[in-house]
Amino acid sequence: MRKDLDDVIQGWPYDPEPGEVLAREVRARDGRRVLQIRIELGVLQLEVVGRPDGNRPHGSTTYLEYLRYHAANRSQSADGKGPAWTMSQHHCVEADREFVQFYHRRMAWLSLRRYEKAVQDSDHTLALMDFVRKHGGDDEYIASHEQFRGLVQFHRAQAQAAMSLERRRPEEAVDALREGVEKLTQHQRLWWEDHDPSESPNPSLIEQLRLNEQEIRKNFAVEKTLREQLDEAVAREDYEQAARLRDQIRAQAKARR
């Protein structure tokens, strides 16, 4: 059996446009679907379910799942007053391994316009960042991840909006972009104001989301979404109108299930 990658590489040249990720979803010999990403020196192959490398760390679906279990069992002493549990150096190394794997898969899903999958992997990365922020212990290690939180939130907002447009829900797309701007703005305020703001990518990402929102409003004649109307009703303390709008939002969400 041949073990080289010559056939794959020669049949799939590495010629990306600037910023382009060359990805495809193929069927493996055993019938399962896998993702492949073409890189300059070969091909990365990722699983589409669970961990991208297909491993189950300590029997868990992901390393984040294992860390949560580990922290829940060791965070406190028997009297419940012990110090907060922090990640060891080994935990940090393994968490970084998972960060990198989910980054590659998220970028592949975005390239393939598999937006629901991109949202799911973004959510996993953000949850892992939340865990690191709470249990990382070392400020430098926490900072090495927090600086990228805005980029993940940006990818998630774009994927959520694109998925909504595919489902012909432009108002939902606008709400997704507005939520993304809100989260990026909050991250800018809470994180980058205490660090070097010149290194923050958030302002340009926020501007891009706002441009996307304006384009959708123009192309689909979206004026004010129900959520925007709700925010305005709450701001002017019109609680009866707010209650009616909440009912409409719930009914709309129920109808889309």
Side-chain angles (χ1 to χ4, degrees):
M1 181 183 297
R2 289 184 57 178
K3 296 185 178 180
D4 61 75
L5 298 176
D6 287 353
D7 291 341
V8 175
I9 293 174
Q10 292 170 6
W12 191 9
Y14 182 74
D15 55 353
E17 298 292 331
E20 180 185 13
V21 175
L22 300 179
R24 65 187 183 187
E25 189 174 0
V26 299
R27 192 174 297 279
R29 282 194 295 269
D30 62 2
R32 78 188 193 283
R33 304 295 296 184
V34 296
L35 277 179
Q36 291 182 341
I37 302 174
R38 183 70 167 92
I39 58 176
E40 187 172 7
L41 298 179
V43 175
L44 300 178
Q45 182 163 298
L46 298 77
E47 299 295 327
V48 301
V49 177
R51 278 251 303 204
D53 64 359
N55 289 338
R56 293 180 58 87
H58 304 277
S60 301
T61 304
T62 64
Y63 198 67
L64 173 59
E65 181 181 281
Y66 164 72
L67 285 174
R68 283 171 168 168
Y69 174 81
H70 195 70
N73 284 276
R74 303 201 179 191
S75 288
Q76 294 183 334
S77 59
D79 60 7
K81 298 180 180 179
W85 177 82
T86 58
M87 298 168 65
S88 69
Q89 179 63 30
H90 175 73
H91 293 141
C92 294
V93 169
E94 290 303 313
D96 285 349
R97 189 190 308 277
E98 187 152 296
F99 272 120
V100 171
Q101 290 183 22
F102 273 84
Y103 165 77
H104 284 304
R105 193 166 70 183
R106 181 176 81 248
M107 298 308 294
W109 288 135
L110 289 170
S111 175
L112 294 171
R113 300 183 180 181
R114 297 289 301 280
Y115 299 119
E116 184 173 6
K117 294 287 190 180
V119 169
Q120 291 172 2
D121 281 358
S122 297
D123 286 342
H124 178 87
T125 297
L126 291 169
L128 187 51
M129 286 180 169
D130 290 344
F131 188 93
V132 165
R133 185 167 58 187
K134 182 177 181 180
H135 297 285
D138 181 74
D139 290 341
E140 186 174 341
Y141 178 70
I142 295 172
S144 70
H145 296 288
E146 282 300 309
Q147 64 180 322
F148 295 112
R149 180 182 289 270
L151 181 62
V152 183
Q153 292 170 331
F154 172 78
H155 286 156
R156 189 193 188 284
Q158 283 203 316
Q160 185 69 54
M163 184 169 61
S164 297
L165 289 180
E166 285 186 339
R167 297 171 178 176
R168 299 181 180 180
R169 302 172 185 172
E171 287 195 8
E172 189 177 281
V174 168
D175 285 336
L177 294 170
R178 290 179 64 245
E179 182 181 1
V181 167
E182 182 179 341
K183 289 183 176 180
L184 277 163
T185 301
Q186 182 181 35
H187 180 245
Q188 182 72 20
R189 184 176 66 254
L190 296 178
W191 177 257
W192 286 106
E193 285 189 359
D194 294 330
H195 298 78
D196 186 353
S198 66
E199 296 181 1
S200 172
N202 288 4
S204 61
L205 298 179
I206 291 170
E207 181 62 23
Q208 183 59 53
L209 292 182
R210 285 177 171 156
L211 289 173
N212 293 156
E213 177 192 341
Q214 292 171 10
E215 184 177 356
I216 293 172
R217 288 186 187 276
K218 178 181 177 180
N219 293 340
F220 295 91
V222 176
E223 294 185 1
K224 292 182 180 179
T225 69
L226 289 177
R227 292 191 180 277
E228 287 179 292
Q229 295 175 51
L230 173 60
D231 291 342
E232 291 179 355
V234 171
R236 64 175 181 265
E237 299 183 357
D238 187 347
Y239 299 120
E240 291 186 6
Q241 176 67 359
R244 286 192 292 269
L245 288 166
R246 287 193 185 94
D247 289 341
Q248 290 183 52
I249 291 171
R250 282 194 290 267
Q252 191 178 73
K254 185 177 180 180
R256 289 172 175 173
R257 291 175 186 169

